[in-house]
């Protein structure tokens, strides 16, 4: 083994999939080029926050990009920052928030790397107005399997650029990117919280808010659903609306820059033995308590990162699901397919698989990326104990509902979908495959996800 090479057991964030792998963590350009060109097959990995097997190898070596985490340049007048792919969104926000800038799109966690955000073309709770992460990328540089570097943008090799955004790390190694930031006055957010008493009311409120989001990219909205109260109350929820706070919103004496989070290096929390603590009665009790104790709030002030990235307060969440881990099943459906939401929730409840956590968000129009996830409509995410899904067929009924409605599953979260449905869910798959084969004709870049879903026929 080389000095930057170790043999390790890797998993996704959900801890439901594991692979023994040769891991290389190159710190220099020469080490990275050697790692890629010397390997037969390469899987690119960032912070390992994808839930399933997207950053696990089918075979060959895994290249860990987290050592390449520098900010290369920053234009404080235009808000354009150039960073290496291994920097995390959280570290980036820590640096730019005090300077009056922020990333325009943040997913539920800021612990992912910029490379992972690009490869998954992540979205936030403000998608109807802000779009996905890739829509704020000015250019990116991509290393191919021969050690050559190309700069891609919407104007320069547009097909390659959009195939890489959402391409799940299968077009090459993203080295760095230039990102357009948005101005902010403070590092705080104003949050309004309200409860709904049925799925119909939840959908109605979200529709109303989506119309506002389309003209206000700073409005972030998410609904936390109660999927354990049967009958007409199924799908009642707690809806959070968050917006960056202005200076005039702050009480006297409050600093515009809240105390920033401390990045603490620590071991991951060990998975609890057996089935952990996430099972039927505890799930039901926690879901109902979340709804009952979520009193209405209007104008609550909290740090922007806490409002937009709530998952970062849940380091131990996967450990609570026991040794089998968790699966997050996330799908998107068109706006006119709202009956599917009720059918999915009813199926889960009827199958005694009420999720431990369920969220519903608005999505705006998608991007030019053939494998980018968002489409105009809804996205529902459900956290399920992986032990419930061992037969591999448990969610096939929902897969079929989603596909028939013109929807799709989120590849960055997927662990279970039937590969036969991928061409239906992603109708531009063949377009992506042609561009991908041009960028990597020898098909050196691969992953367990790509192999399982036959993305590289």
């Amino acid at each position: 083994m080389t000095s930057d090479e170790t043999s390790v057991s890797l998993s996704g964030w959900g801890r439901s999939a594991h692979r023994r792998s040769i891991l290389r963590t190159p710190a220099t350009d020469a080490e990275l080029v050697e790692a890629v060109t010397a390997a037969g097959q390469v899987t690119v990995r960032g912070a390992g926050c994808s839930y399933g097997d997207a950053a696990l190898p089918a075979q060959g070596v895994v290249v860990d990009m987290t050592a390449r985490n520098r900010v290369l340049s920053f234009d404080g007048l235009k808000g354009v920052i150039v960073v290496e792919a291994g920097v995390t969104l959280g570290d980036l926000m820590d640096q730019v928030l005090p300077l009056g800038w922020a990333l325009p799109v943040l997913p539920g966690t800021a612990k992912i790397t910029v490379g992972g955000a690009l490869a998954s073309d992540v979205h936030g709770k403000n998608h109807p107005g802000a779009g996905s992460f890739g829509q704020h990328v000015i250019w990116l540089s991509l290393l191919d399997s021969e050690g050559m570097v190309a700069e891609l943008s919407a104007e320069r090799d547009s097909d390659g650029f959009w195939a890489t955004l959402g391409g799940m790390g299968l077009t090459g190694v993203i080295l760095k990117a230039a990102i357009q930031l948005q101005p902010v006055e403070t590092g705080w957010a104003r949050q309004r919280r309200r409860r709904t008493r049925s799925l119909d009311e939840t959908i109605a409120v979200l529709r109303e808010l989506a119309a506002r989001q389309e003209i206000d990219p700073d409005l972030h909205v998410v609904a936390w659903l109660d999927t354990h109260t049967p009958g007409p109350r199924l799908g009642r929820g707690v809806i959070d609306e968050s917006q960056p706070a202005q200076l005039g919103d702050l009480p006297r004496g409050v600093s515009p820059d809240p105390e920033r989070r401390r990045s603490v290096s620590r071991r991951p929390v060990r998975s609890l033995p057996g089935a952990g603590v996430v099972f039927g009665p505890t799930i039901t009790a926690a879901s109902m308590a979340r709804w009952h104790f979520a009193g209405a709030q209007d104008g609550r002030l909290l740090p922007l990162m806490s409002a937009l990235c709530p998952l970062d307060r849940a380091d131990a969440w996967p450990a609570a699901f026991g040794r089998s881990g968790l699966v997050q099943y996330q799908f998107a459906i068109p706006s006119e397919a709202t009956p599917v939401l009720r059918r999915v929730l009813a199926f889960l409840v009827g199958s005694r698989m009420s999720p431990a956590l369920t969220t519903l968000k608005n999505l705006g129009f998608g991007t030019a990326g053939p494998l980018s996830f968002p489409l105009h409509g809804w996205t529902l995410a459900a956290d399920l104990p992986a032990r419930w899904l061992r037969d591999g067929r448990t969610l096939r009924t929902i897969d079929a509902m989603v596909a028939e409605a013109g929807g799709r599953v989120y590849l960055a979260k997927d662990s279970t979908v039937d590969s036969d449905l991928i061409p239906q869910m992603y109708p531009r798959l063949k377009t992506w495959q042609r561009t991908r084969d041009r960028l990597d004709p020898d098909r050196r870049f691969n992953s367990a996800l790509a192999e399982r879903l036959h993305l590289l026929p």
Side-chain angles (χ1 to χ4, degrees):
M1 289 188 182
T2 63
S3 59
D4 68 336
E5 185 174 295
T6 54
S7 177
V8 296
S9 178
L10 297 174
S11 73
W13 194 73
R15 306 186 188 184
S16 61
H18 301 262
R19 291 285 176 101
R20 193 76 192 175
S21 312
I22 300 298
L23 182 72
R24 297 197 64 174
T25 310
T28 68
D29 290 348
E31 288 175 350
L32 177 59
V33 169
E34 192 275 332
V36 170
T37 57
Q41 294 277 295
V42 179
T43 300
V44 186
R45 184 179 174 93
C49 292
S50 53
Y51 279 69
D53 53 5
L56 300 183
Q59 53 185 313
V61 303
V62 176
V63 174
D64 179 343
M65 295 294 290
T66 53
R68 302 176 62 87
N69 58 4
R70 295 176 299 167
V71 173
L72 301 175
S73 68
F74 175 56
D75 185 332
L77 294 177
K78 296 181 179 178
V80 175
I81 193 164
V82 179
V83 298
E84 290 184 314
V87 67
T88 68
L89 304 190
D91 286 340
L92 187 51
M93 287 288 284
D94 275 353
Q95 296 184 58
V96 300
L97 263 181
L99 303 176
W101 296 95
L103 288 166
V105 172
L106 280 168
T109 175
K111 295 185 178 182
I112 66 172
T113 62
V114 165
L118 297 175
S120 302
D121 196 16
V122 297
H123 60 279
K125 302 170 185 65
N126 60 340
H127 187 268
S132 57
F133 195 91
Q135 290 171 274
H136 304 274
V137 174
I138 301 169
W139 56 262
L140 61 87
S141 61
L142 192 72
L143 175 71
D144 68 19
S145 59
E146 301 301 319
M148 304 299 292
V149 178
E151 186 176 295
L152 310 179
S153 69
E155 292 75 35
R156 184 175 183 179
D157 192 356
S158 176
D159 288 345
F161 179 72
W162 291 113
T164 299
L165 295 173
M168 303 309 298
L170 300 171
T171 63
V173 182
I174 299 171
L175 297 177
K176 56 186 177 181
I179 303 167
Q180 178 63 62
L181 304 174
Q182 70 171 29
V184 292
E185 293 189 12
T186 78
W188 296 90
R190 290 180 292 110
Q191 188 176 82
R192 179 188 183 191
R193 171 169 287 179
R194 54 177 138 168
R195 294 190 301 183
T196 60
R197 299 186 177 278
S198 68
L199 181 60
D200 287 342
E201 185 183 352
T202 302
I203 290 171
V205 173
L206 290 179
R207 282 193 189 279
E208 169 198 333
L209 292 171
R212 288 173 47 197
Q213 288 182 285
E214 289 173 0
I215 59 176
D216 184 358
D218 289 338
L219 179 58
H220 303 254
V221 177
V222 61
W224 310 84
L225 302 187
D226 176 5
T227 56
H228 306 273
T229 304
R233 292 181 294 176
L234 179 66
R236 64 184 182 176
V238 177
I239 299 179
D240 286 337
E241 308 166 40
S242 303
Q243 285 188 295
Q246 307 299 309
L247 284 171
D249 298 323
L250 302 185
R252 181 174 298 178
V254 173
S255 169
D257 184 21
E259 183 179 356
R260 294 188 293 280
R261 63 187 180 86
R262 300 283 185 250
S263 296
V264 179
S265 176
R266 59 181 181 273
R267 295 177 181 271
V269 178
R270 288 180 176 272
S271 295
L272 295 177
V277 297
V278 181
F279 47 88
T282 61
I283 292 174
T284 300
S287 180
M288 294 179 69
R290 185 184 303 115
W291 188 87
H292 280 290
F293 291 107
Q297 299 172 353
D298 196 354
R300 181 171 69 142
L301 199 66
L302 67 165
L304 182 66
M305 296 299 289
S306 297
L308 302 187
C309 300
L311 289 181
D312 290 346
R313 302 193 298 269
D315 280 338
W317 184 240
F321 287 76
R323 298 196 181 279
S324 296
L326 73 95
V327 167
Q328 185 174 102
Y329 185 81
Q330 184 170 358
F331 64 86
I333 54 172
S335 55
E336 65 273 12
T338 51
V340 174
L341 298 174
R342 186 178 300 280
R343 289 168 57 198
V344 167
L345 295 181
F347 174 81
L348 289 172
V349 172
S351 302
R352 297 184 179 180
M353 292 195 304
S354 294
L357 187 68
T358 310
T359 61
L360 181 64
K361 298 193 297 282
N362 297 315
L363 290 177
F365 291 95
T367 72
L371 290 192
S372 185
F373 169 69
L375 52 82
H376 189 242
W378 310 94
T379 179
L380 185 142
D383 284 6
L384 303 165
R387 65 184 182 275
W388 291 353
L389 312 174
R390 284 176 179 161
D391 65 5
R393 297 187 299 274
T394 311
L395 296 175
R396 295 284 174 84
T397 299
I398 300 179
D399 290 339
M401 292 183 200
V402 170
E404 289 168 7
R408 58 184 61 141
V409 298
Y410 193 7
L411 298 182
K413 305 286 185 71
D414 179 58
S415 300
T416 63
V417 74
D418 188 337
S419 62
D420 291 343
L421 290 175
I422 295 299
Q424 183 178 352
M425 291 179 169
Y426 288 88
R428 292 187 288 163
L429 176 62
K430 289 191 178 299
T431 298
W432 178 83
Q433 289 171 335
R434 287 192 294 270
T435 303
R436 193 268 177 194
D437 284 349
R438 172 174 65 80
L439 295 171
D440 181 26
D442 296 328
R443 298 189 177 184
R444 300 272 293 282
F445 296 101
N446 206 339
S447 68
L449 173 85
E451 183 178 74
R452 176 171 57 83
L453 297 183
H454 305 153
L455 297 180
L456 310 175

